[in-house]
Amino acid sequence: MPSALDLRSAPPVGGPRPAPPRRRTRVLALPEARWALSALVLFVLALPVHVLGGPAWLWGPLFAATYATGGWEPGWEGLKALKDKTLDVDLLMVVAALGAAAIGQVLDGALLIVIFATSGALEAVATARTADSVRGLLDLAPTTATRLLADGTEESVDTGSLAVADTVLVRPGERVGADGRVLDGASDVDQATITGEPLPVAKQAGDEVFAGTVNGTGALRVRVERDPADSVIARIVRMVEEASETKAPTQLFIEKIEQRYSIGMVIATLAVFGVPLAFGDTLQPALLRAMTFMIVASPCAVVLSTMPPLLSAIANAGRHGVLAKSAVVMERLGQIDTVALDKTGTLTEGTPRVTDITPLPGGVLDESALLRLAASAEHASEHPLARAVVRAARERGLALAGATDFTSAPGAGVTATVGGRTVHVGSPAHLASAGGGDDLDRVVRSLEDKGRTAVLVLRDDVPVGVLGIADRLRTDAKATVAALTELTGRPPTLLTGDNERAARHIAAEVGITDVRAGLLPQDKVAAVRGWEAEGRRVLVVGDGVNDAPALAAAHTGIAMGKAGSDLALETADAVVVRDELATIPAVVALSRTARRLVVQNLTIAGVFITALVAWDLIGTLPLPLGVAGHEGSTVIVGLNGLRLLREAAWPRLSKGTG
């Protein structure tokens, strides 16, 4: 029973044309990053001079420059926001920093400035990189196409001018210019960018093709069936943009809290200053009390309640090969309760490998001789299956024989003369006329039932053996699925563009029962949004361009870094740099620990702030004691969060999950 994976051909010499290089915004090209870096450098220069009791004329200008470089932009934006009757927390932090400096706490104020300038720079970098990745996706589709006219002539046109019902010619090695259906021709098309299939898929008359996919060795005449603006690639771009814009409802909540806190703090500070004056107090005591209030009520401890645990978790995860792109990402990872996994390149390695070598009964070849014969014939081919056969022979240390008269037939396989014998290597469906009897049928069925691609080897038109090729399962896949099941309380779901049989075979091996195969990018997004509508917080793990919309739409997305596409890596919230699947449940568990520490720290900070503010309002809080209490709470929450830097804080998969 042939499948898409059974049909084979070699792509053109040199492989398909690469996509144009993706444009990337340099970090220091962003003004927010330059100002934040300047503030940090100035702060680092001033800090030792101040701590060691150096002259004020030396550290004073450095701290002043820190305030100016790090605080002018949020301060200016905050002032402009006031025109719209909006008071944001950035402006409040600048005012608090200046208030701290006004009563001699210059170091406190400078630290606040540096923290908020750095946070703004990171947000700007993330936004720019997302925009770059979306623009880069558009480069996958060619800018021109060859349109066939009614009189049989050809013309080169911009792909944007193509219309439904136009006919285009796609030559070997070219990218398909529009979504359409094959009218004539046969070829293998690499559509991994759309479906995630690890191997080229045979296309013939009546089959659908997608813009941006790469044609193999055959020429295709394609009838355009979708407007270029509505192609799968274009829809992926729109979905990524839309999901990125609506991805963080938490941010809306934070903005509301910022508004209320900012307004409340300004009103309270003015009241602390103005009420005593109204009752006859003198200016200096009232100002001192108000400045003390501003210091003890400032949210330094609250800020550090969140950042040290999350940044420590980010650093620990980074040491173990997981890059979380922000503290927000690290926090969100711990909230997930549903996991969706891609197959190719995620649960599997993404590279076809020879898994079975089966000499046919009664033949004269053993496993090594069969593999050597097939690899010798395949050596001149650049097809992924051919490379897998040659790689397997080399790994066994087999010396390949010379081959002549090499030919490749799209969708069928290769033919070559090896040692004076004619050797055919290809699809059993296309070589079935050679016979082979029940033994051959049994071997082929057995391989296909296990999700393998069967490759028949003929010598002088006589079947001598069958090779099984498959995308190999990651060694840690089963343990990872078990650990994620334990963390979330439900087994992960497999979302893949691959065929149903291969998907279910892989799922059965790792313990997944919910399998959704043959999906296009919009189908994956629909599944994610369906879960989100039920109130679930979904983690999507993938590696290809076809996974990018789902990664963006999900509560949290993780990309596998080794084989991941640029868009998937940029769209995802976190990247598994070392390609170790087992790090995913580990980083989820680490995030949950970090979130528990955040709650602890917020409780500690809240108790200190409440007690100090109450003391200042009810009694007379000495300024040195207020500063000591404020700084003490900051140190406590900071040290508590830094516990996650320890190696012991990184979770390990339990032995029972393997």
Side-chain angles (χ1 to χ4, degrees), residues 16 188-193 197-201 212-216:
D188 283 353
V189 176
D190 180 357
Q191 54 186 35
T193 55
E197 289 267 5
L199 302 175
V201 177
T213 57
V214 182
N215 187 24

Side-chain angles (χ1 to χ4, degrees), residues 225-236:
E225 292 192 337
R226 291 194 189 94
D227 186 275
D230 196 40
S231 68
V232 172
I233 284 288
R235 291 203 301 272
I236 291 176

Side-chain angles (χ1 to χ4, degrees), residues 250 305-314 327-337 537 555-556 587-603 640-641 643-644:
T250 305
S305 293
T306 302
M307 297 308 292
L310 296 176
L311 293 178
S312 297
I314 290 173
V328 173
V329 170
M330 180 54 69
E331 184 178 19
R332 290 166 70 92
L333 276 167
Q335 299 172 344
I336 62 104
D337 55 21
R537 295 178 175 180
H555 180 76
T556 311
V587 77
V588 171
L590 181 66
S591 171
R592 294 187 176 184
T593 301
R595 294 181 70 242
R596 287 195 296 270
L597 290 186
V598 168
V599 173
Q600 292 177 11
N601 285 347
L602 288 173
T603 302
N640 190 39
R643 290 192 293 137
L644 291 185

Side-chain angles (χ1 to χ4, degrees), residues 108-133:
D108 264 2
L111 181 59
L112 276 177
I113 290 293
V114 170
I115 289 175
F116 279 90
T118 303
S119 175
L122 291 175
E123 182 178 355
V125 169
T127 300
R129 288 291 168 82
T130 300
D132 288 344
S133 65

Side-chain angles (χ1 to χ4, degrees), residues 536-552:
R536 299 192 197 179
R537 295 178 175 180
V538 183
L539 167 65
V540 172
V541 185
D543 71 304
V545 169
N546 59 301
D547 299 316
L551 290 170

Side-chain angles (χ1 to χ4, degrees), residues 27 49 93 97 120 122 142 148 161 171 224 265 286 309 392 441 448 518 539 560-561 608 631 634 652 658:
V27 172
V49 180
M93 289 305 96
L122 291 175
L148 299 178
S161 66
R171 292 185 170 89
V224 178
M265 181 144 180
D441 292 340
E448 292 179 345
L539 167 65
M560 303 301 295
F608 268 86
E631 294 300 325
T634 302
R652 307 285 179 180

